[in-house]
């Protein structure tokens, strides 16, 4: 189980005490599905934590890849993060609107590119606002930083690797999408995708891992109960997946807090697997 020393989450009190620390850099990594308005950037411009810059999940990605917001290479990640005013010696704190979607994505990307000094604000903007803490509006234009990145491929999995896993069952798959999408009883929000899930995967909807009212992640004992109830063995290798490689990291974060290390993200997720000519699909409960 994660100790307080290596827990990725930090409290609003912790961050409020460090707002004036020049080595603590805050990023707003809020994200929404395509077509949902207002855009996350507009929300950020309306209200964000003091000094926070906007981490655009779609922009910090491989623009040559037709799949949504796939991982960039190390050179691009270093450029994009440096442009946000972040240097390799900084402590990075990611938050999102409080719906627990993309702050864990940013956290995992920093870890993947060799930056271990990264945290997530528990409860995000929702909890911050509930506590009456200050926000700013408008764009923050920081002085460019000097960020170095080296990609560790063990943090992600490809479709080819997961197709092989259908035979070997070496890694458990945990799907973070809402249960109706996992079971294939509703259409996917991205047009043209099949419905269902990767055969053999388990369903742990990411929204069940945090308190919707407060925005805070659920206690460790509750997280453990959820994974046990879904048939996930936290002592064995795990790969998380979702619609497009974003909300899966909420599951990854919860697992990390339970002491799980060495898990990986299927970056293409259902946006790739669910294509009409993709690999086999299963429907119904896990």
């Amino acid at each position: 189980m994660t100790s307080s020393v290596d827990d990725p989450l930090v409290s609003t009190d912790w961050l409020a005490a460090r707002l004036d620390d020049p080595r603590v850099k805050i990023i707003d990594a809020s994200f929404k599905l395509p077509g949902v308005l207002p855009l996350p950037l507009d929300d950020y411009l309306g209200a964000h934590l003091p000094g926070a810059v906007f981490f655009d999940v779609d922009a910090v990605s491989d623009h040559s890849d037709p799949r949504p917001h796939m991982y960039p290479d190390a050179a691009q990640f270093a450029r994009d993060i440096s442009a946000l005013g972040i240097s390799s010696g900084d402590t990075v704190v990611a938050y999102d609107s409080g719906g627990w979607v993309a702050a864990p994505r940013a956290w995992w990307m920093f870890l993947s590119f060799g930056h271990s000094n990264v945290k997530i604000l528990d409860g995000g903007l929702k909890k911050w606002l509930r506590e009456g803490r200050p926000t700013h509006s408008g764009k923050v234009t920081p002085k460019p930083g000097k960020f170095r990145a080296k990609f560790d491929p063990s943090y992600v999995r490809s479709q080819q690797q997961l197709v092989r896993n259908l035979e070997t069952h070496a890694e458990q798959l945990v799907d973070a999408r809402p249960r109706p999408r996992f079971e294939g009883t509703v259409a996917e929000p991205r047009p043209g995708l099949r419905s269902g899930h990767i055969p053999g995967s388990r369903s742990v909807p990411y929204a069940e891992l945090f308190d919707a009212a407060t925005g805070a992640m659920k206690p460790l004992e509750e997280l453990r109960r959820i994974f046990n109830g879904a048939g996930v063995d936290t002592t064995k290798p795990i790969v998380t997946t979702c619609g497009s490689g974003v909300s899966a990291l909420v599951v990854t974060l919860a697992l990390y807090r339970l002491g799980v290390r060495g898990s990986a993200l299927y970056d293409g997720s259902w946006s790739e697997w669910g294509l009409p000519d993709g690999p086999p699909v299963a429907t119904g409960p896990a």
Side-chain angles (χ1 to χ4, degrees):
M1 190 171 292
T2 299
S3 70
S4 60
V5 176
D6 63 353
D7 190 343
L9 296 186
V10 294
S11 68
T12 49
D13 285 341
W14 184 95
L15 185 57
R18 292 165 174 79
L19 287 179
D20 295 327
D21 187 337
R23 303 311 297 270
V24 174
K25 302 298 174 68
I26 307 171
I27 59 173
D28 182 325
S30 298
F31 172 82
K32 298 177 182 179
L33 285 169
V36 178
L37 298 174
L39 296 172
L41 176 58
D42 293 331
D43 287 338
Y44 162 82
L45 293 173
H48 56 78
L49 268 65
V53 294
F54 186 64
F55 179 97
D56 189 331
V57 171
D58 287 320
V60 187
S61 68
D62 182 355
H63 300 291
S64 68
D65 196 314
R67 296 166 295 179
H69 41 254
M70 295 292 288
Y71 262 57
D73 61 23
Q76 182 191 335
F77 190 77
R79 288 195 304 271
D80 290 346
I81 300 308
S82 295
L84 294 178
I86 298 170
S87 297
S88 291
D90 292 333
T91 297
V92 178
V93 180
Y95 76 90
D96 51 37
S97 60
W100 277 107
V101 179
R105 165 81 181 195
W107 163 73
W108 196 248
M109 291 185 78
F110 274 94
L111 292 179
S112 302
F113 287 103
H115 189 83
S116 61
N117 197 6
V118 55
K119 300 289 186 179
I120 300 171
L121 179 63
D122 192 15
L125 182 63
K126 175 182 285 189
K127 190 170 187 292
W128 188 269
L129 291 173
R130 281 172 61 93
E131 295 169 350
R133 299 182 189 272
T135 59
H136 291 171
S137 61
K139 185 178 180 180
V140 173
T141 305
K143 177 183 177 182
K146 295 181 179 179
F147 189 88
R148 297 178 299 278
K150 183 178 181 181
F151 178 59
D152 182 346
S154 71
Y155 280 78
V156 297
R157 294 290 182 271
S158 66
Q159 183 185 84
Q160 184 180 27
Q161 287 172 305
L162 291 196
V163 168
R164 287 199 301 268
N165 193 65
L166 292 178
E167 300 294 332
T168 65
H169 304 290
E171 296 180 310
Q172 302 168 94
L173 263 68
V174 182
D175 193 318
R177 293 173 300 155
R179 198 160 279 112
R181 289 172 60 189
F182 176 89
E183 296 181 353
T185 58
V186 299
E188 282 292 304
R190 289 182 172 83
L193 297 178
R194 296 173 292 167
S195 296
H197 58 266
I198 300 172
S201 53
R202 298 290 180 173
S203 175
V204 179
Y206 78 92
E208 295 182 3
L209 302 174
F210 60 89
D211 186 314
T214 66
M217 184 161 269
K218 290 182 176 178
L220 296 181
E221 56 271 19
E222 179 69 6
L223 298 179
R224 189 174 299 282
R225 186 195 64 78
I226 291 170
F227 285 108
N228 287 342
V232 179
D233 186 343
T234 56
T235 68
K236 296 180 179 179
I238 295 172
V239 176
T240 60
T241 182
C242 60
S244 63
V246 178
S247 62
L249 278 317
V250 182
V251 175
T252 301
L253 171 65
L255 289 166
Y256 195 97
R257 298 194 69 229
L258 290 172
V260 174
R261 299 294 183 270
S263 67
L265 165 71
Y266 174 27
D267 195 24
S269 282
W270 200 253
S271 294
E272 178 179 52
W273 195 281
L275 290 170
D277 58 350
V281 166
T283 57

